[in-house]
Amino acid sequence: AEDFDAHLDGPDGIDKVLQDTGAYGVKAMHEITHDSDASGRLSASIMYITNKGLSNGIRKPAIKSEDKLEQPTEERTMIVGSGAPHALYRETYSGLHTHFEGHKEFVDSMKDWVEREFGIIADGPPEDREAFYLILDHVRNSVTEGKPFIEPNVERITKYGLKQLKKSVIAFLNSKAHKESK
């Protein structure tokens, strides 16, 4: 790995593989989320980041700062996924709402959603307010099945990364830089 890294310009060979694999992972996750992402926030928050801070997230000005992934500290590591607070529930399920943590944000999000999806103005006429609170109550008191976007891609992304690494090492071993280093 050291020879491979030392003889390439710019980011090292493994970083290039991690970046390529991260971009592949983001695309694979978007294939699942884009059809049913009501606000677009989940899809916008899907990103990768390497231990050196190389990321596709920096080119997304629309991404909320709280949705960004934490930079891994382990060498030659890349994380791909979403830091959006609701990503976990989309991946697994949402349970009954039993406490009021995040209440205001949830209600604001629901207001936007019912207006966009049903044309209901939550703070509008009495019939809209009533409809909104019925929908809100239903969502709060229901278990919503998840629609995983990470788990179905773990093996696929890993295989892709290993394939890209193998191609890069073979290309390096056949390169002039490697042959001259012998």
Side-chain angles (χ1 to χ4, degrees):
E2 286 72 24
D3 274 355
F4 177 57
D5 289 349
H7 289 92
L8 293 172
D9 294 329
D12 64 32
I14 293 173
D15 284 340
K16 288 180 182 180
V17 170
L18 291 175
Q19 286 178 280
D20 184 45
T21 303
Y24 176 83
V26 168
K27 183 176 183 272
M29 290 178 193
H30 278 160
E31 288 172 4
I32 295 173
T33 62
H34 84 278
D35 282 341
S36 57
D37 188 3
S39 70
R41 182 177 180 183
L42 178 64
S43 293
S45 72
I46 296 173
M47 62 180 291
Y48 73 85
I49 187 165
T50 71
N51 64 293
K52 292 187 178 176
L54 301 169
S55 171
N56 69 324
I58 57 172
R59 291 187 294 272
K60 291 183 177 179
I63 192 170
K64 295 180 180 250
S65 62
E66 65 267 23
D67 292 353
K68 292 185 179 179
L69 297 173
E70 268 189 48
Q71 183 176 336
T73 55
E74 218 173 292
E75 283 294 311
R76 297 184 170 109
T77 303
M78 182 265 306
I79 297 173
V80 61
S82 168
H86 66 294
L88 172 65
Y89 306 111
R90 170 64 189 271
E91 182 71 15
T92 56
Y93 69 93
S94 71
L96 302 178
H97 294 226
T98 58
H99 56 79
F100 280 91
E101 182 181 335
H103 170 75
K104 181 182 178 346
E105 295 83 2
F106 176 71
V107 171
D108 290 345
S109 173
M110 286 294 298
K111 285 179 179 181
D112 292 343
W113 180 72
V114 296
E115 183 173 351
R116 187 175 50 253
E117 295 298 314
F118 306 110
I120 295 172
I121 310 297
D123 296 321
E127 61 273 10
D128 276 12
R129 286 195 300 260
E130 182 179 349
F132 171 72
Y133 284 104
L134 286 171
I135 292 169
L136 182 66
D137 187 57
H138 173 74
V139 170
R140 278 217 155 104
N141 294 305
S142 299
V143 174
T144 305
E145 193 175 316
K147 186 173 181 187
F149 62 99
I150 295 173
E151 189 275 326
N153 284 302
V154 171
E155 187 175 337
R156 181 178 170 196
I157 294 167
T158 302
K159 284 182 179 181
Y160 180 86
L162 291 171
K163 184 174 132 187
Q164 294 308 105
L165 180 61
K166 181 179 176 182
K167 285 166 89 175
S168 294
V169 170
I170 289 169
F172 169 71
L173 293 174
N174 292 325
S175 72
K176 184 178 176 181
H178 174 67
K179 290 175 182 169
E180 288 175 356
S181 70
K182 288 185 170 190

